[in-house]
Amino acid sequence: MVRNVIGSILALVGAAAAVWSPFRAWYDGRHGRDYRIADLFSGISESKADLWISILLPFAFAALVTLVGLLLRSRLLVVLAGLIVLGFTILWMIRQGQAAGSLSVESDGSGLGPGVALAAGGGVLLLLAAVLMSGRRRAYEPYEPDEPHRHTWGRGHGRRRRGRGEPDRHEEEPYGQQPHTDDTRTAEYPRYDDRPGDGYGPGEPGPPHRG
């Protein structure tokens, strides 16, 4: 969460710096908005460009991509915006170097201006923001074991499985019926009153107590 906040702030600052850079001097006091996009591919010319066909256009597009990337929390889109800004800045430096013979920074304000530094710095901030952002997390489905391996805790757990046609021994027996009369496992054990003993039934008095 903290990384996303810091990355978003850096991305916004980088996009703002890239958009603001064409309104500052790029070389010999000439602003970046005066350079046409076509000059980056055919060579720097002295003609002044309109605002929306100048170098501002790719930087504004990069800022739009940055906003979409922040809304979707997409690191890939933020990286793409940074590459667009740095790519057009480096391409301009190559063409300007070919036209002027060399690139230099002079104390009197000639040479490279602050607009180039803003554009390059904005591109670097966008890439750094993409590194800091954690991106979107994937939604993981809860793990569910397969049906054959699923344990059934509750009714019937630990009970012997009935055979086919065998009645359930745990079902409630009818009222008045003696339990286990038909159970072959307990039939060999007689009831208490049927066991051989001293001849005294359950209702007869026992032998006299000798004192």
Side-chain angles (χ1 to χ4, degrees), residues 26-28 30-32 34-49 55 88-103 112:
W26 277 52
Y27 195 80
D28 285 344
R30 187 179 181 183
H31 288 189
D34 295 334
Y35 292 94
R36 299 182 305 172
I37 298 179
D39 293 344
L40 304 180
F41 302 96
S42 59
I44 302 298
S45 63
E46 297 296 332
S47 59
K48 186 176 181 179
I55 202 175
F88 277 91
T89 302
I90 294 174
L91 183 59
W92 175 88
M93 294 177 68
I94 293 174
R95 293 301 185 185
Q96 184 62 44
Q98 292 175 349
S102 63
L103 295 177
L112 293 175

PDB file of all heavy atoms in Angstrom, residues 26-28 30-32 34-49 55 88-103 112:
ATOM      1  N   TRP A  26      14.682  24.767 -24.528  1.00  0.00           N
ATOM      2  CA  TRP A  26      15.360  23.494 -24.769  1.00  0.00           C
ATOM      3  C   TRP A  26      16.776  23.711 -25.294  1.00  0.00           C
ATOM      4  O   TRP A  26      17.702  23.042 -24.863  1.00  0.00           O
ATOM      5  CB  TRP A  26      14.547  22.640 -25.748  1.00  0.00           C
ATOM      6  CG  TRP A  26      13.435  21.885 -25.061  1.00  0.00           C
ATOM      7  CD1 TRP A  26      12.482  22.393 -24.233  1.00  0.00           C
ATOM      8  CD2 TRP A  26      13.187  20.480 -25.128  1.00  0.00           C
ATOM      9  NE1 TRP A  26      11.640  21.423 -23.780  1.00  0.00           N
ATOM     10  CE2 TRP A  26      12.047  20.216 -24.322  1.00  0.00           C
ATOM     11  CE3 TRP A  26      13.777  19.443 -25.804  1.00  0.00           C
ATOM     12  CZ2 TRP A  26      11.516  18.945 -24.168  1.00  0.00           C
ATOM     13  CZ3 TRP A  26      13.238  18.159 -25.650  1.00  0.00           C
ATOM     14  CH2 TRP A  26      12.132  17.925 -24.829  1.00  0.00           C
ATOM     15  N   TYR A  27      16.909  24.638 -26.227  1.00  0.00           N
ATOM     16  CA  TYR A  27      18.259  24.862 -26.765  1.00  0.00           C
ATOM     17  C   TYR A  27      18.342  26.290 -27.292  1.00  0.00           C
ATOM     18  O   TYR A  27      17.505  26.723 -28.098  1.00  0.00           O
ATOM     19  CB  TYR A  27      18.575  23.874 -27.892  1.00  0.00           C
ATOM     20  CG  TYR A  27      20.036  23.809 -28.240  1.00  0.00           C
ATOM     21  CD1 TYR A  27      20.911  23.054 -27.467  1.00  0.00           C
ATOM     22  CD2 TYR A  27      20.552  24.518 -29.330  1.00  0.00           C
ATOM     23  CE1 TYR A  27      22.249  22.988 -27.768  1.00  0.00           C
ATOM     24  CE2 TYR A  27      21.893  24.461 -29.637  1.00  0.00           C
ATOM     25  CZ  TYR A  27      22.741  23.694 -28.846  1.00  0.00           C
ATOM     26  OH  TYR A  27      24.093  23.635 -29.155  1.00  0.00           O
ATOM     27  N   ASP A  28      19.340  27.011 -26.809  1.00  0.00           N
ATOM     28  CA  ASP A  28      19.572  28.400 -27.211  1.00  0.00           C
ATOM     29  C   ASP A  28      18.337  29.274 -27.016  1.00  0.00           C
ATOM     30  O   ASP A  28      18.028  30.153 -27.835  1.00  0.00           O
ATOM     31  CB  ASP A  28      20.036  28.471 -28.672  1.00  0.00           C
ATOM     32  CG  ASP A  28      21.483  28.046 -28.820  1.00  0.00           C
ATOM     33  OD1 ASP A  28      22.212  27.985 -27.789  1.00  0.00           O
ATOM     34  OD2 ASP A  28      21.895  27.738 -29.958  1.00  0.00           O
ATOM     35  N   ARG A  30      15.275  28.476 -27.284  1.00  0.00           N
ATOM     36  CA  ARG A  30      14.110  28.045 -28.061  1.00  0.00           C
ATOM     37  C   ARG A  30      13.309  27.042 -27.235  1.00  0.00           C
ATOM     38  O   ARG A  30      13.848  26.051 -26.764  1.00  0.00           O
ATOM     39  CB  ARG A  30      14.552  27.420 -29.379  1.00  0.00           C
ATOM     40  CG  ARG A  30      13.390  27.089 -30.317  1.00  0.00           C
ATOM     41  CD  ARG A  30      13.907  26.494 -31.607  1.00  0.00           C
ATOM     42  NE  ARG A  30      12.813  26.198 -32.523  1.00  0.00           N
ATOM     43  CZ  ARG A  30      12.971  25.621 -33.711  1.00  0.00           C
ATOM     44  NH1 ARG A  30      14.206  25.284 -34.135  1.00  0.00           N
ATOM     45  NH2 ARG A  30      11.938  25.382 -34.484  1.00  0.00           N
ATOM     46  N   HIS A  31      12.018  27.286 -27.098  1.00  0.00           N
ATOM     47  CA  HIS A  31      11.175  26.425 -26.289  1.00  0.00           C
ATOM     48  C   HIS A  31      10.882  25.107 -27.014  1.00  0.00           C
ATOM     49  O   HIS A  31      10.901  25.029 -28.248  1.00  0.00           O
ATOM     50  CB  HIS A  31       9.869  27.138 -25.934  1.00  0.00           C
ATOM     51  CG  HIS A  31      10.052  28.232 -24.937  1.00  0.00           C
ATOM     52  ND1 HIS A  31       8.990  28.892 -24.344  1.00  0.00           N
ATOM     53  CD2 HIS A  31      11.180  28.787 -24.395  1.00  0.00           C
ATOM     54  CE1 HIS A  31       9.433  29.801 -23.508  1.00  0.00           C
ATOM     55  NE2 HIS A  31      10.760  29.758 -23.523  1.00  0.00           N
ATOM     56  N   GLY A  32      10.550  24.111 -26.204  1.00  0.00           N
ATOM     57  CA  GLY A  32      10.267  22.806 -26.797  1.00  0.00           C
ATOM     58  C   GLY A  32       9.013  22.788 -27.642  1.00  0.00           C
ATOM     59  O   GLY A  32       8.905  21.993 -28.585  1.00  0.00           O
ATOM     60  N   ASP A  34       8.224  24.797 -29.785  1.00  0.00           N
ATOM     61  CA  ASP A  34       8.536  25.308 -31.120  1.00  0.00           C
ATOM     62  C   ASP A  34       9.088  24.228 -32.041  1.00  0.00           C
ATOM     63  O   ASP A  34       9.256  24.486 -33.246  1.00  0.00           O
ATOM     64  CB  ASP A  34       9.545  26.458 -31.021  1.00  0.00           C
ATOM     65  CG  ASP A  34       8.952  27.664 -30.287  1.00  0.00           C
ATOM     66  OD1 ASP A  34       7.713  27.815 -30.311  1.00  0.00           O
ATOM     67  OD2 ASP A  34       9.736  28.426 -29.678  1.00  0.00           O
ATOM     68  N   TYR A  35       9.375  23.056 -31.514  1.00  0.00           N
ATOM     69  CA  TYR A  35       9.914  21.965 -32.342  1.00  0.00           C
ATOM     70  C   TYR A  35       8.764  21.083 -32.817  1.00  0.00           C
ATOM     71  O   TYR A  35       7.945  20.618 -32.015  1.00  0.00           O
ATOM     72  CB  TYR A  35      10.911  21.117 -31.539  1.00  0.00           C
ATOM     73  CG  TYR A  35      12.173  21.837 -31.183  1.00  0.00           C
ATOM     74  CD1 TYR A  35      12.296  22.482 -29.946  1.00  0.00           C
ATOM     75  CD2 TYR A  35      13.255  21.879 -32.065  1.00  0.00           C
ATOM     76  CE1 TYR A  35      13.455  23.148 -29.600  1.00  0.00           C
ATOM     77  CE2 TYR A  35      14.417  22.545 -31.716  1.00  0.00           C
ATOM     78  CZ  TYR A  35      14.512  23.171 -30.492  1.00  0.00           C
ATOM     79  OH  TYR A  35      15.678  23.846 -30.160  1.00  0.00           O
ATOM     80  N   ARG A  36       8.705  20.830 -34.102  1.00  0.00           N
ATOM     81  CA  ARG A  36       7.688  19.959 -34.662  1.00  0.00           C
ATOM     82  C   ARG A  36       8.059  18.498 -34.437  1.00  0.00           C
ATOM     83  O   ARG A  36       9.237  18.146 -34.345  1.00  0.00           O
ATOM     84  CB  ARG A  36       7.521  20.213 -36.159  1.00  0.00           C
ATOM     85  CG  ARG A  36       7.077  21.629 -36.521  1.00  0.00           C
ATOM     86  CD  ARG A  36       6.894  21.756 -38.016  1.00  0.00           C
ATOM     87  NE  ARG A  36       8.125  21.343 -38.734  1.00  0.00           N
ATOM     88  CZ  ARG A  36       8.195  21.216 -40.046  1.00  0.00           C
ATOM     89  NH1 ARG A  36       7.127  21.454 -40.799  1.00  0.00           N
ATOM     90  NH2 ARG A  36       9.337  20.861 -40.619  1.00  0.00           N
ATOM     91  N   ILE A  37       7.031  17.663 -34.363  1.00  0.00           N
ATOM     92  CA  ILE A  37       7.293  16.229 -34.232  1.00  0.00           C
ATOM     93  C   ILE A  37       8.012  15.709 -35.461  1.00  0.00           C
ATOM     94  O   ILE A  37       8.898  14.838 -35.383  1.00  0.00           O
ATOM     95  CB  ILE A  37       5.970  15.468 -33.999  1.00  0.00           C
ATOM     96  CG1 ILE A  37       5.310  15.932 -32.698  1.00  0.00           C
ATOM     97  CG2 ILE A  37       6.203  13.965 -33.945  1.00  0.00           C
ATOM     98  CD1 ILE A  37       3.985  15.254 -32.411  1.00  0.00           C
ATOM     99  N   ALA A  38       7.685  16.269 -36.636  1.00  0.00           N
ATOM    100  CA  ALA A  38       8.339  15.830 -37.870  1.00  0.00           C
ATOM    101  C   ALA A  38       9.824  16.153 -37.860  1.00  0.00           C
ATOM    102  O   ALA A  38      10.624  15.450 -38.500  1.00  0.00           O
ATOM    103  CB  ALA A  38       7.661  16.476 -39.075  1.00  0.00           C
ATOM    104  N   ASP A  39      10.240  17.186 -37.113  1.00  0.00           N
ATOM    105  CA  ASP A  39      11.664  17.526 -37.056  1.00  0.00           C
ATOM    106  C   ASP A  39      12.482  16.432 -36.372  1.00  0.00           C
ATOM    107  O   ASP A  39      13.685  16.304 -36.622  1.00  0.00           O
ATOM    108  CB  ASP A  39      11.865  18.855 -36.307  1.00  0.00           C
ATOM    109  CG  ASP A  39      11.283  20.031 -37.078  1.00  0.00           C
ATOM    110  OD1 ASP A  39      11.006  19.867 -38.280  1.00  0.00           O
ATOM    111  OD2 ASP A  39      11.098  21.106 -36.459  1.00  0.00           O
ATOM    112  N   LEU A  40      11.835  15.654 -35.516  1.00  0.00           N
ATOM    113  CA  LEU A  40      12.552  14.586 -34.828  1.00  0.00           C
ATOM    114  C   LEU A  40      12.893  13.431 -35.765  1.00  0.00           C
ATOM    115  O   LEU A  40      13.764  12.604 -35.444  1.00  0.00           O
ATOM    116  CB  LEU A  40      11.717  14.059 -33.652  1.00  0.00           C
ATOM    117  CG  LEU A  40      11.288  15.103 -32.615  1.00  0.00           C
ATOM    118  CD1 LEU A  40      10.479  14.439 -31.512  1.00  0.00           C
ATOM    119  CD2 LEU A  40      12.496  15.824 -32.043  1.00  0.00           C
ATOM    120  N   PHE A  41      12.254  13.374 -36.923  1.00  0.00           N
ATOM    121  CA  PHE A  41      12.498  12.279 -37.865  1.00  0.00           C
ATOM    122  C   PHE A  41      13.182  12.758 -39.146  1.00  0.00           C
ATOM    123  O   PHE A  41      13.912  11.980 -39.778  1.00  0.00           O
ATOM    124  CB  PHE A  41      11.173  11.589 -38.220  1.00  0.00           C
ATOM    125  CG  PHE A  41      10.449  11.033 -37.016  1.00  0.00           C
ATOM    126  CD1 PHE A  41       9.444  11.756 -36.404  1.00  0.00           C
ATOM    127  CD2 PHE A  41      10.790   9.794 -36.497  1.00  0.00           C
ATOM    128  CE1 PHE A  41       8.774  11.254 -35.301  1.00  0.00           C
ATOM    129  CE2 PHE A  41      10.129   9.281 -35.384  1.00  0.00           C
ATOM    130  CZ  PHE A  41       9.119  10.007 -34.788  1.00  0.00           C
ATOM    131  N   SER A  42      12.957  14.028 -39.491  1.00  0.00           N
ATOM    132  CA  SER A  42      13.554  14.544 -40.732  1.00  0.00           C
ATOM    133  C   SER A  42      14.691  15.528 -40.491  1.00  0.00           C
ATOM    134  O   SER A  42      15.410  15.882 -41.429  1.00  0.00           O
ATOM    135  CB  SER A  42      12.476  15.226 -41.580  1.00  0.00           C
ATOM    136  OG  SER A  42      11.870  16.298 -40.868  1.00  0.00           O
ATOM    137  N   GLY A  43      14.863  15.975 -39.256  1.00  0.00           N
ATOM    138  CA  GLY A  43      15.915  16.944 -38.971  1.00  0.00           C
ATOM    139  C   GLY A  43      15.337  18.234 -38.418  1.00  0.00           C
ATOM    140  O   GLY A  43      14.198  18.618 -38.743  1.00  0.00           O
ATOM    141  N   ILE A  44      16.111  18.905 -37.564  1.00  0.00           N
ATOM    142  CA  ILE A  44      15.659  20.143 -36.929  1.00  0.00           C
ATOM    143  C   ILE A  44      15.618  21.259 -37.966  1.00  0.00           C
ATOM    144  O   ILE A  44      16.562  21.458 -38.741  1.00  0.00           O
ATOM    145  CB  ILE A  44      16.576  20.534 -35.770  1.00  0.00           C
ATOM    146  CG1 ILE A  44      16.617  19.400 -34.728  1.00  0.00           C
ATOM    147  CG2 ILE A  44      16.106  21.818 -35.114  1.00  0.00           C
ATOM    148  CD1 ILE A  44      15.298  19.101 -34.092  1.00  0.00           C
ATOM    149  N   SER A  45      14.499  21.988 -37.984  1.00  0.00           N
ATOM    150  CA  SER A  45      14.334  23.123 -38.885  1.00  0.00           C
ATOM    151  C   SER A  45      14.092  24.385 -38.052  1.00  0.00           C
ATOM    152  O   SER A  45      13.847  24.325 -36.855  1.00  0.00           O
ATOM    153  CB  SER A  45      13.159  22.877 -39.855  1.00  0.00           C
ATOM    154  OG  SER A  45      11.940  22.777 -39.141  1.00  0.00           O
ATOM    155  N   GLU A  46      14.142  25.539 -38.718  1.00  0.00           N
ATOM    156  CA  GLU A  46      13.949  26.811 -38.036  1.00  0.00           C
ATOM    157  C   GLU A  46      12.495  27.224 -37.974  1.00  0.00           C
ATOM    158  O   GLU A  46      12.167  28.221 -37.319  1.00  0.00           O
ATOM    159  CB  GLU A  46      14.746  27.900 -38.760  1.00  0.00           C
ATOM    160  CG  GLU A  46      16.244  27.672 -38.744  1.00  0.00           C
ATOM    161  CD  GLU A  46      16.817  27.714 -37.333  1.00  0.00           C
ATOM    162  OE1 GLU A  46      16.216  28.410 -36.471  1.00  0.00           O
ATOM    163  OE2 GLU A  46      17.844  27.055 -37.087  1.00  0.00           O
ATOM    164  N   SER A  47      11.620  26.469 -38.643  1.00  0.00           N
ATOM    165  CA  SER A  47      10.210  26.838 -38.661  1.00  0.00           C
ATOM    166  C   SER A  47       9.574  26.562 -37.302  1.00  0.00           C
ATOM    167  O   SER A  47       9.899  25.585 -36.626  1.00  0.00           O
ATOM    168  CB  SER A  47       9.462  26.054 -39.752  1.00  0.00           C
ATOM    169  OG  SER A  47       9.582  24.655 -39.522  1.00  0.00           O
ATOM    170  N   LYS A  48       8.649  27.421 -36.913  1.00  0.00           N
ATOM    171  CA  LYS A  48       7.982  27.303 -35.626  1.00  0.00           C
ATOM    172  C   LYS A  48       6.750  26.425 -35.773  1.00  0.00           C
ATOM    173  O   LYS A  48       5.982  26.574 -36.727  1.00  0.00           O
ATOM    174  CB  LYS A  48       7.584  28.693 -35.111  1.00  0.00           C
ATOM    175  CG  LYS A  48       7.017  28.676 -33.701  1.00  0.00           C
ATOM    176  CD  LYS A  48       6.749  30.101 -33.230  1.00  0.00           C
ATOM    177  CE  LYS A  48       6.192  30.109 -31.809  1.00  0.00           C
ATOM    178  NZ  LYS A  48       5.940  31.486 -31.302  1.00  0.00           N
ATOM    179  N   ALA A  49       6.560  25.525 -34.840  1.00  0.00           N
ATOM    180  CA  ALA A  49       5.464  24.558 -34.920  1.00  0.00           C
ATOM    181  C   ALA A  49       4.256  25.053 -34.150  1.00  0.00           C
ATOM    182  O   ALA A  49       4.368  25.852 -33.214  1.00  0.00           O
ATOM    183  CB  ALA A  49       5.904  23.208 -34.361  1.00  0.00           C
ATOM    184  N   ILE A  55       6.390  18.955 -29.996  1.00  0.00           N
ATOM    185  CA  ILE A  55       6.863  17.879 -29.119  1.00  0.00           C
ATOM    186  C   ILE A  55       5.991  17.728 -27.879  1.00  0.00           C
ATOM    187  O   ILE A  55       6.127  16.740 -27.134  1.00  0.00           O
ATOM    188  CB  ILE A  55       8.331  18.161 -28.744  1.00  0.00           C
ATOM    189  CG1 ILE A  55       9.014  16.858 -28.304  1.00  0.00           C
ATOM    190  CG2 ILE A  55       8.411  19.224 -27.675  1.00  0.00           C
ATOM    191  CD1 ILE A  55      10.482  17.042 -28.048  1.00  0.00           C
ATOM    192  N   PHE A  88      11.441  10.206 -26.826  1.00  0.00           N
ATOM    193  CA  PHE A  88      11.363  11.430 -27.613  1.00  0.00           C
ATOM    194  C   PHE A  88      12.411  12.448 -27.165  1.00  0.00           C
ATOM    195  O   PHE A  88      12.916  13.234 -27.997  1.00  0.00           O
ATOM    196  CB  PHE A  88       9.956  12.029 -27.508  1.00  0.00           C
ATOM    197  CG  PHE A  88       8.981  11.415 -28.462  1.00  0.00           C
ATOM    198  CD1 PHE A  88       8.221  10.313 -28.099  1.00  0.00           C
ATOM    199  CD2 PHE A  88       8.825  11.927 -29.743  1.00  0.00           C
ATOM    200  CE1 PHE A  88       7.332   9.737 -28.976  1.00  0.00           C
ATOM    201  CE2 PHE A  88       7.926  11.361 -30.638  1.00  0.00           C
ATOM    202  CZ  PHE A  88       7.175  10.252 -30.258  1.00  0.00           C
ATOM    203  N   THR A  89      12.752  12.440 -25.886  1.00  0.00           N
ATOM    204  CA  THR A  89      13.799  13.363 -25.432  1.00  0.00           C
ATOM    205  C   THR A  89      15.158  12.991 -26.028  1.00  0.00           C
ATOM    206  O   THR A  89      15.906  13.859 -26.519  1.00  0.00           O
ATOM    207  CB  THR A  89      13.876  13.344 -23.900  1.00  0.00           C
ATOM    208  OG1 THR A  89      12.599  13.701 -23.354  1.00  0.00           O
ATOM    209  CG2 THR A  89      14.919  14.330 -23.404  1.00  0.00           C
ATOM    210  N   ILE A  90      15.490  11.712 -26.010  1.00  0.00           N
ATOM    211  CA  ILE A  90      16.768  11.267 -26.579  1.00  0.00           C
ATOM    212  C   ILE A  90      16.787  11.477 -28.086  1.00  0.00           C
ATOM    213  O   ILE A  90      17.820  11.880 -28.659  1.00  0.00           O
ATOM    214  CB  ILE A  90      17.005   9.786 -26.211  1.00  0.00           C
ATOM    215  CG1 ILE A  90      17.197   9.641 -24.702  1.00  0.00           C
ATOM    216  CG2 ILE A  90      18.213   9.232 -26.957  1.00  0.00           C
ATOM    217  CD1 ILE A  90      17.291   8.198 -24.233  1.00  0.00           C
ATOM    218  N   LEU A  91      15.645  11.222 -28.748  1.00  0.00           N
ATOM    219  CA  LEU A  91      15.593  11.446 -30.201  1.00  0.00           C
ATOM    220  C   LEU A  91      15.805  12.923 -30.535  1.00  0.00           C
ATOM    221  O   LEU A  91      16.507  13.256 -31.516  1.00  0.00           O
ATOM    222  CB  LEU A  91      14.246  10.959 -30.729  1.00  0.00           C
ATOM    223  CG  LEU A  91      14.024  11.045 -32.243  1.00  0.00           C
ATOM    224  CD1 LEU A  91      15.086  10.240 -32.986  1.00  0.00           C
ATOM    225  CD2 LEU A  91      12.619  10.555 -32.609  1.00  0.00           C
ATOM    226  N   TRP A  92      15.221  13.811 -29.735  1.00  0.00           N
ATOM    227  CA  TRP A  92      15.445  15.243 -29.965  1.00  0.00           C
ATOM    228  C   TRP A  92      16.916  15.593 -29.763  1.00  0.00           C
ATOM    229  O   TRP A  92      17.479  16.392 -30.539  1.00  0.00           O
ATOM    230  CB  TRP A  92      14.582  16.064 -29.025  1.00  0.00           C
ATOM    231  CG  TRP A  92      14.866  17.535 -29.127  1.00  0.00           C
ATOM    232  CD1 TRP A  92      14.282  18.421 -29.982  1.00  0.00           C
ATOM    233  CD2 TRP A  92      15.838  18.270 -28.378  1.00  0.00           C
ATOM    234  NE1 TRP A  92      14.822  19.675 -29.811  1.00  0.00           N
ATOM    235  CE2 TRP A  92      15.788  19.607 -28.828  1.00  0.00           C
ATOM    236  CE3 TRP A  92      16.744  17.940 -27.378  1.00  0.00           C
ATOM    237  CZ2 TRP A  92      16.598  20.605 -28.306  1.00  0.00           C
ATOM    238  CZ3 TRP A  92      17.553  18.927 -26.854  1.00  0.00           C
ATOM    239  CH2 TRP A  92      17.474  20.243 -27.316  1.00  0.00           C
ATOM    240  N   MET A  93      17.548  15.060 -28.744  1.00  0.00           N
ATOM    241  CA  MET A  93      18.952  15.362 -28.490  1.00  0.00           C
ATOM    242  C   MET A  93      19.834  14.895 -29.644  1.00  0.00           C
ATOM    243  O   MET A  93      20.805  15.577 -30.018  1.00  0.00           O
ATOM    244  CB  MET A  93      19.396  14.712 -27.177  1.00  0.00           C
ATOM    245  CG  MET A  93      18.720  15.295 -25.943  1.00  0.00           C
ATOM    246  SD  MET A  93      19.180  14.455 -24.402  1.00  0.00           S
ATOM    247  CE  MET A  93      20.907  14.946 -24.283  1.00  0.00           C
ATOM    248  N   ILE A  94      19.499  13.755 -30.232  1.00  0.00           N
ATOM    249  CA  ILE A  94      20.283  13.270 -31.379  1.00  0.00           C
ATOM    250  C   ILE A  94      20.137  14.215 -32.560  1.00  0.00           C
ATOM    251  O   ILE A  94      21.131  14.594 -33.208  1.00  0.00           O
ATOM    252  CB  ILE A  94      19.831  11.841 -31.733  1.00  0.00           C
ATOM    253  CG1 ILE A  94      20.203  10.867 -30.614  1.00  0.00           C
ATOM    254  CG2 ILE A  94      20.464  11.391 -33.047  1.00  0.00           C
ATOM    255  CD1 ILE A  94      19.674   9.467 -30.816  1.00  0.00           C
ATOM    256  N   ARG A  95      18.888  14.616 -32.869  1.00  0.00           N
ATOM    257  CA  ARG A  95      18.665  15.518 -34.013  1.00  0.00           C
ATOM    258  C   ARG A  95      19.258  16.902 -33.761  1.00  0.00           C
ATOM    259  O   ARG A  95      19.834  17.518 -34.680  1.00  0.00           O
ATOM    260  CB  ARG A  95      17.160  15.635 -34.281  1.00  0.00           C
ATOM    261  CG  ARG A  95      16.515  14.362 -34.777  1.00  0.00           C
ATOM    262  CD  ARG A  95      17.166  13.892 -36.060  1.00  0.00           C
ATOM    263  NE  ARG A  95      16.476  12.727 -36.626  1.00  0.00           N
ATOM    264  CZ  ARG A  95      16.914  12.084 -37.699  1.00  0.00           C
ATOM    265  NH1 ARG A  95      18.041  12.459 -38.307  1.00  0.00           N
ATOM    266  NH2 ARG A  95      16.241  11.051 -38.155  1.00  0.00           N
ATOM    267  N   GLN A  96      19.146  17.394 -32.539  1.00  0.00           N
ATOM    268  CA  GLN A  96      19.707  18.710 -32.236  1.00  0.00           C
ATOM    269  C   GLN A  96      21.225  18.682 -32.284  1.00  0.00           C
ATOM    270  O   GLN A  96      21.870  19.640 -32.744  1.00  0.00           O
ATOM    271  CB  GLN A  96      19.227  19.168 -30.861  1.00  0.00           C
ATOM    272  CG  GLN A  96      19.669  20.571 -30.477  1.00  0.00           C
ATOM    273  CD  GLN A  96      19.136  21.645 -31.411  1.00  0.00           C
ATOM    274  OE1 GLN A  96      17.950  21.613 -31.777  1.00  0.00           O
ATOM    275  NE2 GLN A  96      19.982  22.589 -31.803  1.00  0.00           N
ATOM    276  N   GLY A  97      21.807  17.600 -31.840  1.00  0.00           N
ATOM    277  CA  GLY A  97      23.259  17.467 -31.931  1.00  0.00           C
ATOM    278  C   GLY A  97      23.735  17.409 -33.367  1.00  0.00           C
ATOM    279  O   GLY A  97      24.806  17.951 -33.692  1.00  0.00           O
ATOM    280  N   GLN A  98      22.958  16.755 -34.218  1.00  0.00           N
ATOM    281  CA  GLN A  98      23.329  16.713 -35.639  1.00  0.00           C
ATOM    282  C   GLN A  98      23.212  18.097 -36.276  1.00  0.00           C
ATOM    283  O   GLN A  98      24.041  18.461 -37.136  1.00  0.00           O
ATOM    284  CB  GLN A  98      22.430  15.717 -36.375  1.00  0.00           C
ATOM    285  CG  GLN A  98      22.656  14.260 -35.976  1.00  0.00           C
ATOM    286  CD  GLN A  98      21.670  13.316 -36.633  1.00  0.00           C
ATOM    287  OE1 GLN A  98      20.678  13.758 -37.243  1.00  0.00           O
ATOM    288  NE2 GLN A  98      21.915  12.017 -36.499  1.00  0.00           N
ATOM    289  N   ALA A  99      22.186  18.871 -35.878  1.00  0.00           N
ATOM    290  CA  ALA A  99      21.995  20.196 -36.463  1.00  0.00           C
ATOM    291  C   ALA A  99      23.008  21.203 -35.937  1.00  0.00           C
ATOM    292  O   ALA A  99      23.520  22.043 -36.702  1.00  0.00           O
ATOM    293  CB  ALA A  99      20.581  20.691 -36.183  1.00  0.00           C
ATOM    294  N   ALA A 100      23.331  21.160 -34.643  1.00  0.00           N
ATOM    295  CA  ALA A 100      24.254  22.135 -34.055  1.00  0.00           C
ATOM    296  C   ALA A 100      25.696  21.676 -34.077  1.00  0.00           C
ATOM    297  O   ALA A 100      26.594  22.485 -33.823  1.00  0.00           O
ATOM    298  CB  ALA A 100      23.836  22.434 -32.621  1.00  0.00           C
ATOM    299  N   GLY A 101      25.940  20.437 -34.349  1.00  0.00           N
ATOM    300  CA  GLY A 101      27.304  19.916 -34.350  1.00  0.00           C
ATOM    301  C   GLY A 101      27.717  19.352 -33.011  1.00  0.00           C
ATOM    302  O   GLY A 101      28.536  18.453 -32.928  1.00  0.00           O
ATOM    303  N   SER A 102      27.139  19.856 -31.914  1.00  0.00           N
ATOM    304  CA  SER A 102      27.455  19.372 -30.565  1.00  0.00           C
ATOM    305  C   SER A 102      26.398  19.906 -29.606  1.00  0.00           C
ATOM    306  O   SER A 102      25.678  20.863 -29.914  1.00  0.00           O
ATOM    307  CB  SER A 102      28.849  19.818 -30.124  1.00  0.00           C
ATOM    308  OG  SER A 102      28.914  21.238 -30.046  1.00  0.00           O
ATOM    309  N   LEU A 103      26.333  19.274 -28.451  1.00  0.00           N
ATOM    310  CA  LEU A 103      25.421  19.706 -27.396  1.00  0.00           C
ATOM    311  C   LEU A 103      26.247  20.166 -26.204  1.00  0.00           C
ATOM    312  O   LEU A 103      27.155  19.465 -25.762  1.00  0.00           O
ATOM    313  CB  LEU A 103      24.478  18.567 -26.978  1.00  0.00           C
ATOM    314  CG  LEU A 103      23.487  18.069 -28.037  1.00  0.00           C
ATOM    315  CD1 LEU A 103      22.692  16.892 -27.495  1.00  0.00           C
ATOM    316  CD2 LEU A 103      22.564  19.191 -28.488  1.00  0.00           C
ATOM    317  N   LEU A 112      21.951  23.656 -24.067  1.00  0.00           N
ATOM    318  CA  LEU A 112      20.812  22.923 -23.499  1.00  0.00           C
ATOM    319  C   LEU A 112      20.151  23.732 -22.398  1.00  0.00           C
ATOM    320  O   LEU A 112      20.816  24.309 -21.540  1.00  0.00           O
ATOM    321  CB  LEU A 112      21.269  21.569 -22.952  1.00  0.00           C
ATOM    322  CG  LEU A 112      21.759  20.550 -23.994  1.00  0.00           C
ATOM    323  CD1 LEU A 112      22.284  19.302 -23.299  1.00  0.00           C
ATOM    324  CD2 LEU A 112      20.632  20.184 -24.960  1.00  0.00           C
TER     325      LEU A 112
END
